[in-house]
Amino acid sequence: MRTLALFLASALLLFSCSNSKDPASLPQSIGGEYEIVVLVDNELTGAPHVEALKEVLMENYPMLNQPEPWFSLTWFDVDDVNEYTLKGRYLILLSTCEEGNKVSTMAEGIFGKDKTDQIPGNDGRFYITGSHAFANPQGIMYLNDVSTSELAKKIEANADGLLSYFESRESERIKTGLFKYRRKTGLETDIKNALQVNLLVPTVYEPSVNPFGDATQVYKRLGISNFRWIYSNARHSFSNVAIWSMPYTDTSQLNLESILDVRDSVLKYFIPCESDGSYMGTERRFTDVYPTVQVTELNGKYALELSGLWAAVNGFQGGPFVGYVVVDDENGRLVFIDGSVAAKGQPKKKYIVRLKAILSTLKV
């Protein structure tokens, strides 16, 4: 997400409140991955604020081979809610200020009238966020304005922040789940010894076999310092994580084309594809899916985050990839970490978000 999105997400948290119930006393929340329950009052379809919310939260997830919505929204009229509806991991209460709006009444019961009376406010505030009203863990957002059209305008104007709020919570939940139980500590140690970085590795990952035996000469030819490739071979998908480093000598190394050239030159040697002579490359032929890069911070280090599509050179495979280039000033190097997935005929968002969660644990 853009820097603006991160700012708006932080602003949302500033105006949040927590339910007074002890989370430990609440039932476990339920719901699918990236799923949000939305409660409305007789406005299931067609209303401007309903359509605006759909457009923002059901936006296509970036850089996938086939369109997949970022979130799925399950809509309920407030009169039809039950104990299972209210156990949703994420709830959005969507309403306007009309007299007798039942969603607004529900929001008063959750947040307190002193809080709900503050929106819509003179400063443009149109939301409250909270946690653990009916289940644990649970995130709740109350959206309200004077009319459906005005609320739609606010939703559209704050699209990045609204999406970032739910994305950050869901990605953190997935990350926690990946490493909650066992990890491949042996692989983690090998990566640390080889590249002087820490990376959390889920138990489903295995080490690849280095096709060169002693790869010293290959490393020298490529201008890199060591390389590690781990993979997960599931029933319907094949996920890769590749890590390497190289000397950092000039800021020109941080432009997108230079990064992609390094990616292609390294993965050509180390990640083969489905047939003899084919290998992983970066898809650069189409402008609408050309790889993107944005400045970020990864565990305290300046970094660039990449996303795009990979395509097999001399082959037919392809899929999405994500990656980071981390600037390690203290050691005068760049650390590259790259995650890619092949899942023919399968939805790919669920795999790429897990790869991103793994990559985000990298600590130089």
Side-chain angles (χ1 to χ4, degrees):
M1 306 299 285
R2 297 186 291 276
T3 303
L4 173 62
L6 297 175
F7 171 79
L8 289 170
S10 298
L12 285 169
L13 290 172
L14 285 176
F15 294 108
S16 68
C17 70
S18 298
N19 191 274
S20 59
K21 294 179 182 177
D22 177 12
S25 69
L26 295 171
Q28 182 75 21
S29 59
I30 59 177
E33 193 168 283
Y34 280 85
E35 181 178 274
I36 301 174
V37 172
V38 186
L39 304 182
V40 294
D41 188 2
N42 294 316
E43 295 160 336
L44 288 176
T45 58
H49 60 327
V50 168
E51 296 305 311
L53 194 64
K54 288 180 182 177
E55 184 175 339
V56 168
L57 294 179
M58 297 183 71
E59 173 186 344
N60 285 337
Y61 195 88
M63 291 297 178
L64 298 178
N65 302 66
Q66 297 87 27
E68 294 181 51
W70 211 305
F71 285 88
S72 62
L73 304 182
T74 304
W75 300 80
F76 286 93
D77 188 275
V78 68
D79 288 330
D80 297 328
V81 299
N82 54 45
E83 61 177 311
Y84 298 105
T85 305
L86 296 178
K87 288 180 184 178
R89 188 175 293 117
Y90 305 109
L91 298 180
I92 293 178
L93 280 63
L94 187 66
S95 76
T96 57
C97 296
E98 285 91 347
E99 186 73 23
N101 189 292
K102 297 174 184 176
V103 174
S104 296
T105 302
M106 176 182 285
E108 288 179 11
I110 296 171
F111 298 100
K113 197 171 188 304
D114 58 329
K115 295 286 187 182
T116 58
D117 282 349
Q118 295 179 29
I119 60 170
N122 294 330
D123 58 357
R125 194 185 312 168
F126 66 102
Y127 54 80
I128 307 174
T129 61
S131 303
H132 317 313
F134 306 103
N136 181 37
Q138 185 176 60
I140 303 173
M141 179 178 285
Y142 173 45
L143 297 167
N144 179 279
D145 213 308
V146 295
S147 67
T148 58
S149 58
E150 286 301 311
L151 184 50
K153 291 177 185 177
K154 297 281 179 59
I155 291 171
E156 291 165 358
N158 292 273
D160 284 347
L162 294 172
L163 184 59
S164 291
Y165 174 77
F166 289 105
E167 164 63 19
S168 61
R169 294 184 70 121
E170 183 66 348
S171 60
E172 188 60 31
R173 184 189 70 84
I174 290 171
K175 182 176 176 179
T176 300
L178 274 176
F179 306 110
K180 187 176 182 180
Y181 300 108
R182 293 182 299 161
R183 307 198 318 256
K184 276 289 178 64
T185 53
L187 273 180
E188 293 175 357
T189 300
D190 176 65
I191 291 168
K192 182 176 182 178
N193 292 337
L195 289 148
Q196 293 75 57
V197 299
N198 291 314
L199 184 75
L200 301 186
V201 179
T203 189
V204 295
Y205 275 78
E206 300 291 342
S208 68
V209 176
N210 188 328
F212 302 103
D214 182 0
T216 304
Q217 292 304 313
V218 177
Y219 295 157
K220 185 176 181 181
R221 186 183 312 135
L222 294 172
I224 67 173
S225 301
N226 233 318
F227 177 91
R228 286 295 184 270
W229 167 28
I230 61 175
Y231 66 88
S232 170
N233 190 3
R235 182 179 179 185
H236 297 297
S237 69
F238 193 94
S239 298
N240 307 285
V241 175
I243 317 169
W244 67 96
S245 67
M246 66 187 305
Y248 179 35
T249 58
D250 192 277
T251 55
S252 64
Q253 293 172 271
L254 299 179
N255 71 58
L256 177 59
E257 296 307 317
S258 295
I259 292 169
L260 297 181
D261 288 344
V262 170
R263 180 181 193 273
D264 285 345
S265 65
V266 171
L267 299 187
K268 173 181 178 179
Y269 278 88
F270 291 102
I271 301 189
C273 292
E274 78 279 16
S275 56
D276 290 343
S278 67
Y279 54 88
M280 181 174 288
T282 305
E283 179 60 84
R284 303 198 221 184
R285 294 174 296 175
F286 309 107
T287 56
D288 58 332
V289 290
Y290 202 85
T292 62
V293 64
Q294 63 181 13
V295 174
T296 187
E297 184 182 276
L298 188 63
N299 296 314
K301 296 287 187 181
Y302 179 91
L304 299 174
E305 180 182 335
L306 291 92
S307 64
L309 300 178
W310 67 271
V313 179
N314 302 323
F316 301 98
Q317 284 183 305
F321 78 87
V322 292
Y324 293 96
V325 180
V326 183
V327 177
D328 181 8
D329 281 319
E330 292 181 6
N331 295 296
R333 63 176 184 157
L334 300 176
V335 177
F336 291 72
I337 185 164
D338 187 276
S340 56
V341 62
K344 185 176 181 180
Q346 299 294 315
K348 296 174 179 63
K349 184 184 75 174
K350 60 184 177 181
Y351 302 117
I352 209 72
V353 297
R354 282 162 175 75
L355 277 170
K356 192 171 180 179
I358 296 169
L359 270 54
S360 72
T361 68
L362 180 77
K363 292 184 179 179
V364 175

